[in-house]
Amino acid sequence: MSFDRSIKIAPSILAADFANFGAECAAVEAQGADWIHVDVMDGHFVPNITFGPATCAAIRPHIKGVMDVHLMIAPVDSYIEDFAKAGADVLTAHVEAGPHIHRTLQAIRANGMRPGVALNPGTPAESVAELLDMVDLICVMTVNPGFGGQKFIDMSAKIKALRTMIGDREIHIEIDGGVDPKTAPLVAQAGADVLVAGSAVFRGGSVQDPAPYRDNIRAIREAAKGVYV
Ligand code: DX5
Ligand code: ZN
């Protein structure tokens, strides 16, 4: 996993066919996805339940590139080893998930994964100021986590503040929630490089008819690059 700040589109399989994750991951990758974003929810940190490490392990062989696992769970630490064994490349925990995010990020790195830290919309950029030398990714939530298909919340000022704080450190800024061709330019201009999109990627397509995935991914990427701005 080499570092660059080019725009990367990371489809969230929260919007895919839950009975067909392996084929869905392969389909979106074949249609141009850069990373695959995997949303793990526990019904405790967020009000929804998805799946855990066993599902991640099952889909891993169907992903050629980066498996980007977003943990919306609390506590986190007792599951880190399981997600490493499941083959996560990036493992992101929420700064709000517990009192010891620093320890959590150390443990993610110690287990051979790239640590990410996520911030809810109500959490300020400054909350990660002491964590910048231990993360490879900062995920700025542009919805309150728990569900796909929600309305985008503009976090441009926070993204810009983080971009300034990061300086020349090799840290990705990822945006998660409500990303589509209309909102992508805002977040890209503010300094984001990884754009997670669920509904806006999977809309209109299927494993049997994956061409819409290509069009949807391209529309978000081109909008982020400024072509349609
Ligand atoms: C929200 C999840 C997101 C979500 C994005 O809790 O973390 O990854 O699936 O879905 P859309 O793109 O539909 O907002
Ligand atoms: Zn997510």
Side-chain angles (χ1 to χ4, degrees):
M1 227 182 119
S2 60
F3 182 87
D4 70 63
R5 290 195 198 283
S6 63
I7 294 292
K8 290 162 281 294
I9 309 296
S12 163
I13 60 166
L14 192 59
D17 174 2
F18 268 48
N20 217 1
F21 278 146
E24 288 275 44
C25 290
V28 281
E29 275 195 336
Q31 301 301 320
D34 298 293
W35 294 9
I36 301 292
H37 185 82
V38 181
D39 285 310
V40 175
M41 303 185 189
D42 66 353
H44 169 72
F45 179 69
V46 289
N48 191 12
I49 300 177
T50 54
F51 46 75
T55 305
C56 293
I59 65 176
R60 173 74 264 188
H62 302 271
I63 299 173
K64 290 198 188 115
V66 172
M67 184 159 89
D68 171 36
V69 178
H70 177 194
L71 298 181
M72 286 159 276
I73 67 173
V76 173
D77 295 11
S78 44
Y79 299 101
I80 290 172
E81 201 182 330
D82 293 341
F83 285 101
K85 286 188 186 142
D89 296 298
V90 178
L91 193 67
T92 297
H94 270 259
V95 70
E96 309 86 0
H100 298 297
I101 184 68
H102 191 283
R103 176 185 289 145
T104 300
L105 296 168
Q106 283 178 322
I108 292 171
R109 179 88 68 198
N111 276 272
M113 297 171 287
R114 298 189 174 251
V117 64
L119 290 78
N120 282 336
T123 302
E126 291 68 30
S127 65
V128 299
E130 301 300 327
L131 307 172
L132 295 175
D133 290 323
M134 52 193 316
V135 294
D136 289 348
L137 177 145
I138 300 173
C139 174
V140 178
M141 296 301 304
T142 39
V143 296
N144 284 295
F147 303 95
Q150 302 184 83
K151 193 173 173 323
F152 177 84
I153 304 167
D154 189 0
M155 292 279 132
S156 298
K158 191 197 289 189
I159 299 165
K160 284 181 191 155
L162 287 166
R163 186 67 196 84
T164 303
M165 285 162 67
I166 285 171
D168 54 13
R169 294 177 180 86
E170 295 193 347
I171 300 176
H172 297 290
I173 297 184
E174 176 177 77
I175 307 302
D176 191 3
V179 173
D180 63 18
K182 283 204 182 73
T183 57
L186 291 175
V187 299
Q189 280 161 14
D193 63 298
V194 183
L195 308 191
V196 175
S199 353
V201 166
F202 286 94
R203 172 178 304 145
S206 67
V207 166
Q208 289 73 32
D209 175 24
Y213 296 166
R214 172 160 299 263
D215 297 339
N216 293 340
I217 290 168
R218 185 176 291 154
I220 299 167
R221 196 191 307 280
E222 294 303 304
K225 285 183 183 167
V227 173
Y228 300 135
V229 179

